[in-house]
Amino acid sequence: MIGLLSTRCVKLFIASFLLLSLPSCEQGQQHDVGALSTLSTKDDRFSNASENNKISFPKDHFPQKDFRHEWWYLTANLQTEDNKDIAVQWTLFRTAVNDKHWYFAHAAMADAQTHLSAFRDGREAFATVQFAKSPFAMRIDDWQWQSSGELLPATLNFGNDKSDETSWKAKLNLHSNLALESDLKVGLENLHRKGFFLQGQNGYNRKHPSLDIASHYYSQPFIKVNGQIYWQGRWQNVSGDAWFDREWSSQFLGKEQQGWDWFSLRLNKDIALMVYRIRSEGKDHQYGNLMHRNGWSQRLESDDIEIENPPSKHQSYPNVFQVKVRQYDINLNVKVINKKQINQFGIEYFEGMVSFSGSHQGKGFVEMTGYR
């Protein structure tokens, strides 16, 4: 393994995306939410998201180096054989500084009481990051997504390298759970023929109510999972549902925008709701998509969505939300299951499992950024 980029506790500089050195890879560090402001910085050397850019596969599964930032994101709600709920996150990020491209990955596992996470970093130039086209694969250090086709089905292996009670690992099999291709309504605007939901206008997803700030974004919320995890000192079989998101842009936020609350909620086995709110000193921006397993989707604009949470004097991460989409009779009380699900690798953010009740009952994930 290349010694220049250790995956253990080293001093790194993860380009301007992190804005600061990482003196330790251990959880528990304190980071300034101002680091998130790098996502609002313009850099004319890189392309901007445009309605004229059309997403195509398999090309857009691979790095988009004309853009400054991108990520491949998987979250999963799993159950062990004894019906214990487990949350899993795996994310690969890329960011550019001048003509150099840095990759770093975050992964985490949690139950209702415990949250453990791990970090990897690397560069293609040092062979610590690799992508393969046929079949598709992406690897960073010892973590690997290996498909037997273009993206799915795939196996995903990751975890930490501890040898104590904080050791955890995951070996997961991922399979698309969309309806049979012959049943998909593939003529719809927001479903690509490869079986991915294109967010926004054919994958062009606005991030600001008035400025030309946007990303290219697609999702696959219907993924079945089975496999094994090493958790609390033993290997356990798991099964459940996963959600994949792929997004790239050179500017994700406006200067006055403070962060976001993003929800992925499975209303039932056939319907998945994604909504997000980008909080602002001015007008908040919201977006959503109600995605159906048969390929139908209903795009939700900012005024269609209501997201509320109790006010906090200290801007700490909320634990409860009310999410409403009145035109579809959706009224959800969303609760964080484990308040410890915070990743602190440069930019601090919350990524964790939630439960919800009300008009529908189920589980999902929430991601929160920009809180203190």
Side-chain angles (χ1 to χ4, degrees), residues 41-53:
T41 303
K42 295 186 67 174
D43 190 327
D44 292 335
R45 291 172 293 185
F46 298 95
S47 300
N48 293 320
S50 168
E51 292 179 272
N52 296 323
N53 295 335

Side-chain angles (χ1 to χ4, degrees), residues 7 56 70 85 132 158 167 183 259 273 327 336 369:
T7 60
S56 65
E70 65 182 317
D85 290 329
F158 60 97
S167 179
D183 297 328
L273 172 66
Q327 69 189 98
V336 169
T369 71

Side-chain angles (χ1 to χ4, degrees), residues 113-129:
Q113 294 80 35
T114 304
H115 174 258
L116 298 173
S117 60
F119 173 92
R120 295 290 185 271
D121 74 283
R123 286 185 59 195
E124 289 174 289
F126 299 147
T128 51
V129 174

Side-chain angles (χ1 to χ4, degrees), residues 31-37 258 315 317 346-348 369-372:
H31 299 292
D32 188 351
V33 295
L36 195 66
S37 65
Q258 302 161 330
Q315 294 184 297
Y317 294 102
I347 293 177
E348 178 183 293
T369 71
Y371 291 94
R372 297 187 185 275

Side-chain angles (χ1 to χ4, degrees), residues 359-372:
S359 61
H360 303 74
Q361 293 77 42
K363 291 184 173 63
F365 261 75
V366 63
E367 178 179 278
M368 297 180 274
T369 71
Y371 291 94
R372 297 187 185 275

